[in-house]
Structures are given as C-alpha cells and as structure tokens.
Amino acid sequence: MIPVCRLEDLPRGESARVGTTPPVAVFHTDDGELYAIDDTCTHQDASLSDGWLEGCLVECPLHAASFDLRTGQPTCLPARRAVRTHRVTVDDGVIHVHLVAREGTAA
Amino acid sequence: MRTVTVVGASLSGLYAARELRAQGFDGRLVIVGDEPHHPYDRPPLSKDFLTGRADEDRLALTDAEDAGALDAEWLLGVRAGALDPRARAVVLADGRTVTCDGVVIATGASARRLPGPAPAGVHTLRTLDDARALRAELTRGARRVVVIGGGFIGAETASSCVALGHRVTVVEAAPLPLLPQLGAELATVCAALHRRGGADLITGTGVGALRGTAAVTGVKLTDGRVLDADVVVVGIGAAPNTAWLTGSTLALRDGVLCDDGCATALPQVVAVGDVARVGGIRAEHWTSATEQPRAAVANLLAGRTTHHARSLPYFWSDQYGSRVQFAGRRLDGDTVRIVEGGLDDGAPGADGLLAVCERDGRTTAVLSVDRPRPFTRMRRELARQDDETERERREGQAAALSVPHRRATL
C-alpha cells in the first residue's frame, strides 16, 4: 500500500504520478472517482498521468491511444495491450494505491 | 466493391485496411508490401530500437488476432510495378496482376540518398532493415559518426549515437535545423538541444563529397572542411514513392495529388500517408498517416468525396532525453512567446518549456519541450479552433455557391 497524496491535493480532473517501478498514475475523475493504472502507455513510452482525462478515459499525450481507467483496456488504437489497474483507497484523507503484483513475479 | 488492394503495408496501409473492415467492406482485401516484414512502427527505429532498448517485437503493428480480423491476403516482399486503370489492376514487379475495383495507394516515401556510390559505413534510416544495419554497425565499439541533415531523423539518430557513446557531428545545410517547420526562434531553441546533449552541430554548409573507397573515412564539406568519420548517416529527407504510378494517368507532383478527402482523379483510387498530397499538402507525419485512412476509405466506399481528411498538424520527436512536441499551423512572421518554463543558455531549461506562435491575437501553433500536459490541452484547443474555422470556411463556400443558384430561381 503506497501513500500518494492527500485527497484535497488532487482535485477532480487531476492526476498524480507515483514513482514506483513501474510508475503508476492516479486519476481523480470529474465524477469524483479515484482510479490507478500503470502510468506508461503500452504503445510507446509516454506517461499517462500527463494525458487528457475525460470521464473514465485517459488519452495518451503522445499518440492519443485511449484507456478505460476502470478496466485498463485500450479503447482505440494505437495501443493494443491493456495497462494494469490498481485498487485505490482513502484512509484518513490520504490516497493510497494497492499495487497488484507484476505478472510472473512474487508479490 | 468486391476487391480492394491496399498498396503499401506500413502504418497508413494497415490503418486503411482496418478502416475498410471497420466500415463494412467484406470483400477480398489484398495488401501489397515491398518489404518482407508485416507492418511495423517506424518512429522507434531512430530511438529505442537503435539504442537497443526496444526489440523488433515492440515494433509490430499487428498481432495474430488483429491480422485474423483483417482477413487479408498479404503479398509481402514484392513491389507494385504499375497501376493500370483500364484493366482495373495493380501489376506487381514480379509480373503478377491483382484485379480489383478499389485501390488505396499507401506506398509511402523513400529515404533520399547522396548522389554517387555509397561506401561501407554510409547509412540511411527509414526501414527496419536500415535500422538493423546501422544498429549492428554502432555496436562495434566507439565510432566517429557524422549525421548529414538536422531534421528529426538526423537529430534522433545523433541523440541515439551519443547515448551509445559515439562521437557525433551533425551537419545541416540550412542556417538552422528544422527552420521551415519551426521558424528561426524555435529552431534556435531546438538546435541548442544538440549542444546540450553532447553532439557537435555544424550549420550553413553542405556536403561536398564522401571520403573513402571501400569504407567511408570522412565527409568533405562544401566550405572545405573535412570531418573524419567511420559511420555516416544520411538524413536528408524522403521522396514519395510514385514512380510505379507513371503512366497511370494520376497527377503526380511530389506525391499523388488528391482532394482534401484523399480521393484522386481516378474513381475508386484514394491515397493516404507520406505518398499523398492531400488538399495541396504532403505531410510526413505519423498522425496524418493514421488519421487520413478513415476519410479516404469512407470516400472510396462511397465513390465520391463525402469526408475530409484535414487535421491539425502534429509531430513529436525524442532527442537527448527531451520530448519535443509541435502542433498547429505556424506561418513566418508569427510572434513567438514562451508561456511556461524558460531558456538556460539558449536551450530549454531543465523543466522544459512551452512556447506559442501567435498571429493577430490568435495562437497558431504550440511547441513543447518536456511539458506534455499543457501541450495536450493547447493542442486540443487548437484542433477545436481549426475545426471551427474549417466549418465556417466550408459553410461560406456553400453559401457562396448557393447564391447564383438562388438568383437563378428568382
């Protein structure tokens, strides 16, 4: 479980990048939901936390691949592989990300 | 339409094939490619692929599932030799003929070369095979590399060579690299990336001749200087692959001439990507190659131009650890203003910069170095304005056209 920032420091419509390995992007949608996904676009090296957030979709800032924050699935080309999603909780006003284990490695 | 042939198996050809299926074409789909490889992405070739950070499987644009959904006949490793409109056929260089009702021309462009023989050690960087050869050469210990041309391929290749530990000099004939694309002020900023990144940049002088017979040993510049070199990379642009269309009756002028819906003068022939001059402009941008096929295929299937392929120009480049992004329609004489970040000894500061070009109080273009978030916002805003302007222009045209008609009925 990794603390990200205080909830009040991540307004709706904003995102934060967590410098884990690999890095994770946390989004606070306009509807007030919090989501976390792997930060690196599966198409080419770009940071999704710099992307364009619209509803539950984030558009990669480099080539406009779009990912569904709820599932990690790409919704359009050029990305074809999903990003991993991570669980987010808020404890005592602090956003936490619960990283899922990397495939093929011990947790 | 029973059979459509897509000539060209790179980015725009693949996207056209996908669009054909997505827009309901369920006939025979033939894809012709002169390279033996299935479609791959070119931008990483000069960057992660050259430095060994990405392997060939990262370049692939299709997987088995995707290829299965296309249900296409792939004719790879064979060049198209001619388009015969009367026989409704694409004639291949090996003599085979593909008869079809529709053709998407997506033959791209080829790297320009220096005139005369190229000794060993002289490379271009356009195709996967080019990149393989250059990568193999660059892994043989420290070399002296001269990159001819300071455009994106030149700059990215130089940057990759520096990262691999080579000594690099970039030679640019113009007073500044990227001058036509960026204008003097922004080109100066980007030129400084070379110096900061550890490459020498020589501008304002051309290349006279290569030195060396079996293998290259140096580059003689037109100002008389000679640069020692073990490896030379020629990055002086690309020429559209239209030779095979000579005699097809299609208008060819630095590309296949199309209307702004990618339609040529021949019914059932459209063109997309680097080879296409769409509405007067030939753009060698990754984004155009992926966006044009949607309109082109719609128009091909409709048999007339119902969709327009105009989109806001956008390109990006990764060099010396910085990500450069540019969007918009800059014109000479625009005012340049830095709106975020700043310069440090002429180069973008450590936290990057965001600069805009302005004309008559409106933003025409935006350049970002390592500021992707505000860049994305501005790019979207520019695209929105551009769409609006374009809609107004079309409505204006339609109104102008309708006036004589209305008068005639009065």
Side-chain angles (χ1 to χ4, degrees), chain B residues 42 106-112 126-127 237-241 273-275 282 284:
Chain B
R42 290 188 204 282
T107 41
S110 294
R112 288 185 210 274
R126 176 87 191 167
T127 66
N241 294 322
D274 290 4
V275 76
R282 191 172 70 81
E284 291 180 3

Side-chain angles (χ1 to χ4, degrees), chain B residues 37 49 51 66 70 91 145 165 180 198 247 291 295 310 318 342 346 350 398 410:
Chain B
H37 316 293
F49 182 77
T51 55
D66 188 40
L70 279 183
V91 183
V145 181
E291 288 176 350
R310 180 186 158 103
D318 291 336
L410 281 173

Side-chain angles (χ1 to χ4, degrees), chain B residues 7 34-35 42 79-80 105-111 126 238-245 252 254-256 274-276 282:
Chain B
V7 189
D34 63 343
E35 292 181 58
R42 290 188 204 282
R79 197 173 281 276
I105 296 170
T107 41
S110 294
R126 176 87 191 167
N241 294 322
T242 55
W244 68 286
L245 294 166
L252 309 173
D254 185 39
V256 178
D274 290 4
V275 76
R282 191 172 70 81

